[in-house]
Every structure is written in C-alpha cells, then in structure tokens.
Amino acid sequence: MSKTDWITQEIEALQNAGLYNHIRTIGSPQGAWLSVDGKRVLNFCSNNYLGLANHPALVAAAKKSIDEMGVGPGAVRSIAGTMTLHVELEKRLAAFKGVEAAITFQSGFTANLATIPALVGKEDVIFSDRLNHASIIDGCRLSGAKIIAYEHNDVKSLEKQIQVNLKDFRRALIVTDGVFSMDGDIAPLPDIYEVAKKYDILLMVDDAHGEGVLGKGGRGIVDHFGLHGKVDVEVGTMSKAFGVMGGIVAGKSVIVEWLRQRGRPFLFSSAMTVPDAAACLTAVDLLEDSTQLVDKLWDNAKYFKAEMKTLGFNTGVTETPITPVMLGEAPLAQQFSRELYEAGVFAMAIGFPTVPQGKARIRVMISAAHARDDLDKGLEAFKNVGKKLGVI
Ligand SMILES: *Cc1c(COP(=O)(O)O)cnc(C)c1O
C-alpha cells in the first residue's frame, strides 16, 4: 500500500459514478465557435456572455497597457502593487454600479474569501442560501462564524432562522448569490432586503452572473431591482460577462476602506495584472456606451429557451441566459455531452458536487456572440441527441 492509494481509489470511484471531470482543451480564442480538443465546435458553455473575451477593443487596450506599464503588478496591493490602472478601474466600476466605492481583487473567488471573513468572525452568524456558490461557502467557513443555511430563495425560511438564532450572536450577515449559476434563477433581493432592514443585518449579494447581464446595460442585480444604496455589499466578477479576469466588491465606502485594511487576498496575494485591469476598463467603456450587447444576449437567450421548451426539454427554473437542460443521472448527462460534441456542439455535463445528486444536467450558456444561425444549429443538435437518448 502506498500512501496515495486512497486517491487512486477515489478517482476510480468518480469514474465509475460518471462524476470524473474530463477536461477539454480550447485551442482558439473564446467566441461562438471554438477549437476544442482539435475539433471545431459551437461554444455553448463559456461564461463569455457578451463576447468580450476576444473583443478587439479589449485586446487592443491590453496590448497598449503592456507597452506602457508592463505585465505584472510586482506586489500585493497594500505594498507596491496598486497602480493607476487599479485606482482608475475602481472609480469607474463604482460609477458604473452607482455605489459609493469599489475595490478589485484577483478573482470573484478571492473577493468572497476577502469580504466575508472581514465582516464576520467567530462570535457572529451568517444566514446563507442553501445553494450559494462554493466561494461564498468557503468564505463563510474561513470567517469562523456560525453558518446557518436557509432554504433556497425562501425568505420565510430566512426570517425564521433569524428569529430563532440572531439573539445568540454578536453580529450577523445575510449572503446570497444574485443569479444562481447552475439553475439561472434570481434571488428575491427586494424581499431579502426587507428582512435585512427589519433585523438590521448586513446584506451581501454575489452578482457574478448578474454583472454585465442584469440591470440597465448590465449594471447588475441591484440595478435590476432598483435597490441602489440598500444592499451593503455587492461582490462581482470580471471573469464572466466582462470577458477578462478579476473580482469586485462594490458598496459603502466604509466597507471598501475596511477591505483595504483587512481583506486578506488584498493584503497577501498580488494585484490584478496590468493587461487584465486595462481590458476591464475598456469593458466598462463599452457597457457605458451602449446596451446593444446586453440586449442581444437577452434576445438570444429568450429565443433559445423558448425553442428548447418547444422541443420538450426541461430547462428548470431559469430566468436568465443560463439554460440548464435537466437530465437527472450523471452518466446520462455525460453521454449527452459526448454525443453533442460528436455533433459539433460543446456543452459540458454538470454533476455532483456542483449540483445535487440526481440533478445532473447540461448547462447551456447563451452569449451575445451567438448569431441566430448558431443557435439554430445548436437546437438541431439538441433535438437529434435528445431523441436518440430518449430524453424528448
Ligand atoms: C463564477 C463565480 C465566482 C467566481 O468568480 P471568478 O472570478 O471566476 O473567481 C464567484 N461567485 C459566483 C456566484 C460565481 O458564479
């Protein structure tokens, strides 16, 4: 027996359960069509909602910034890594989101790891939606606070947990995903806000899939619901609709100031790179200039979801361009994904632990980069594979 045998056995168990991650490799820029493992396929699974990941304006801005400022930040933000680009980006993001201040991180994941432990500690309690993203869950665990999960998008369950538990703790935080990434449903933020206000609890929303998607011109979930000034902390990412890489926290300036002092990934992990920051700035320019890309995204999503329903697929509870195609058992989802790939469509299967057991699915990500003809090709492939595998 070697001391890594257990890992080999675990990996075999994953393979047998249809839960092993078969990782495909992309050999082309992001866009509606990709080269995946050497084959040209229609891209139905990246988070490149607006097609910005290979947008000429972002590419040009990144190149120019490298010529002027080099590539790396050379340090953490709090020592020598804060460059004019970071400060500019934070100002622009705050204005775009309509908040007092914003701070950037290396990713949405690190933004959550920075924010939650800075706001609550071991004498405190967090009320967390049961289906929150892994980075929220990890941030909650890192904080050492008591974590109380409430039922998904269920404000009654949230309030009940608050009534039972709040008195036992020093401070509290309510945290929810804005758009739930695996189902595409939207948190009932106005109702959650009313509860937060009633009990005077800090409210945080992770808008990773709402940034660049929801609200006017992609200003996010707070704009979507007209809750400006009411949500204390908005976490977001520039790795999805913005097409680049990076995290944001937007909200009250006192919270942003506190994160500059106590956000551990800000203090102990180097800053966003030069080209990333420059490309993100250009993404803000594009979004402020026009709502055209966001409008196209929603037109595409509405069309695709309606056609999938007509074909007889179960697309769950989505309210956004995220389109889950519910299949049930993980091996079926994996087989469906393989057949789609053979038919020229790249859409990955998602199973446990990303989604609950028995709720495996193909998750289609619609983008403004898709032409109507691309969507029709995708629909045709779904129809053929769905019939072949007896799903429709
Ligand atoms: C994708 C995602 C993140 C992580 O964002 P990255 O910038 O990719 O690290 C965080 N939270 C939610 C809800 C997400 O969907």
Side-chain angles (χ1 to χ4, degrees), residues 74-271:
V76 302
R77 289 285 304 272
S78 52
I79 297 181
T82 295
M83 305 175 84
T84 47
L85 278 171
H86 297 116
V87 176
E88 169 79 5
L89 178 60
E90 287 165 349
K91 278 200 193 124
R92 294 289 306 281
L93 286 170
F96 177 68
K97 307 265 312 163
V99 293
E100 289 176 15
I103 178 172
T104 59
F105 290 89
Q106 305 83 357
S107 71
F109 204 111
T110 59
N112 275 323
L113 298 193
T115 305
I116 300 169
L119 296 177
V120 283
K122 56 183 187 310
E123 295 159 82
D124 305 323
V125 59
I126 300 170
F127 301 100
S128 171
D129 187 287
R130 192 172 285 292
L131 295 189
N132 274 344
H133 188 262
S135 59
I136 298 179
I137 295 171
D138 287 5
C140 291
R141 287 178 181 154
L142 264 180
S143 75
K146 169 80 176 172
I147 303 161
I148 295 180
Y150 61 89
E151 295 307 320
H152 174 55
N153 277 352
D154 182 340
V155 181
K156 286 210 177 73
S157 164
L158 166 64
E159 182 162 16
K160 188 157 166 253
Q161 293 293 0
I162 292 172
Q163 285 168 346
V164 173
N165 295 291
L166 187 62
K167 61 182 181 327
D168 300 331
F169 298 90
R170 180 184 63 173
R171 286 198 292 268
L173 173 72
I174 298 170
V175 59
T176 182
D177 269 28
V179 175
F180 286 82
S181 54
M182 293 300 141
D183 291 292
D185 51 342
I186 303 177
L189 204 57
D191 296 341
I192 295 176
Y193 163 69
E194 288 304 328
V195 171
K197 188 171 129 194
K198 181 169 168 190
Y199 297 92
D200 201 23
I201 298 175
L202 272 180
L203 174 57
M204 166 171 160
V205 62
D206 178 344
D207 203 21
H209 285 274
E211 217 75 71
V213 175
L214 290 180
K216 179 170 175 286
R219 282 164 175 74
I221 190 170
V222 168
D223 188 83
H224 171 78
F225 283 122
L227 290 171
H228 297 280
K230 295 179 171 169
V231 174
D232 300 294
V233 191
E234 279 177 80
V235 169
T237 177
M238 291 169 281
S239 327
K240 289 178 175 134
F242 277 59
V244 194
M245 183 78 210
I248 325 167
V249 180
K252 298 204 162 74
S253 46
V254 66
I255 292 177
V256 167
E257 187 186 351
W258 182 236
L259 291 175
R260 281 193 218 107
Q261 306 303 317
R262 283 291 178 273
R264 289 170 70 83
F266 188 88
L267 301 168
F268 297 106
S269 180
S270 294

